[in-house]
Amino acid sequence: MGGEGAAANFARRSPVPMINLLRTPQVRAAQKGIPTGSVYDTNEKNLASVGSEQLQEMLHRCEWSALEGRTYLPHQTRAAIESAANR
């Protein structure tokens, strides 16, 4: 799914400068529920379903309404992943 023009490259882009402030307890709480690798994989698949050309156009226009109403893969919880592994 990689490559310079891949849709996954849009995961960290923003049309305006942005700063994310995360407190350590918030990050730890989130990590308990959803494994980090799973988040990246799910985000890459969801971005790929939109497509890099459409994402580039939306970024250029700063207009994101094309994302509304789409169906995306949900993030799996750690419990669901562990349960599937034990089957």
Side-chain angles (χ1 to χ4, degrees):
M1 287 191 181
E4 190 173 315
N9 293 333
F10 287 85
R12 292 184 180 91
R13 287 189 178 182
S14 175
V16 295
M18 181 179 295
I19 296 174
N20 294 308
L21 300 177
L22 300 171
R23 294 186 172 142
T24 302
Q26 292 170 318
V27 173
R28 286 191 180 135
Q31 288 174 333
K32 288 180 183 176
I34 301 174
T36 303
S38 172
V39 171
Y40 294 128
D41 290 343
T42 302
N43 287 349
E44 284 185 11
K45 290 174 184 171
N46 285 329
L47 288 167
S49 76
V50 177
S52 60
E53 288 182 25
Q54 186 172 8
L55 289 166
Q56 181 62 48
E57 180 62 27
M58 287 187 284
L59 184 65
H60 177 73
R61 292 183 291 127
C62 295
E63 207 287 299
W64 307 100
S65 64
L67 297 175
E68 296 172 10
R70 295 179 63 96
T71 302
Y72 298 101
L73 295 172
H75 290 281
Q76 290 187 318
T77 63
R78 185 177 307 277
I81 292 170
E82 290 172 355
S83 175
N86 292 329
R87 291 183 192 166

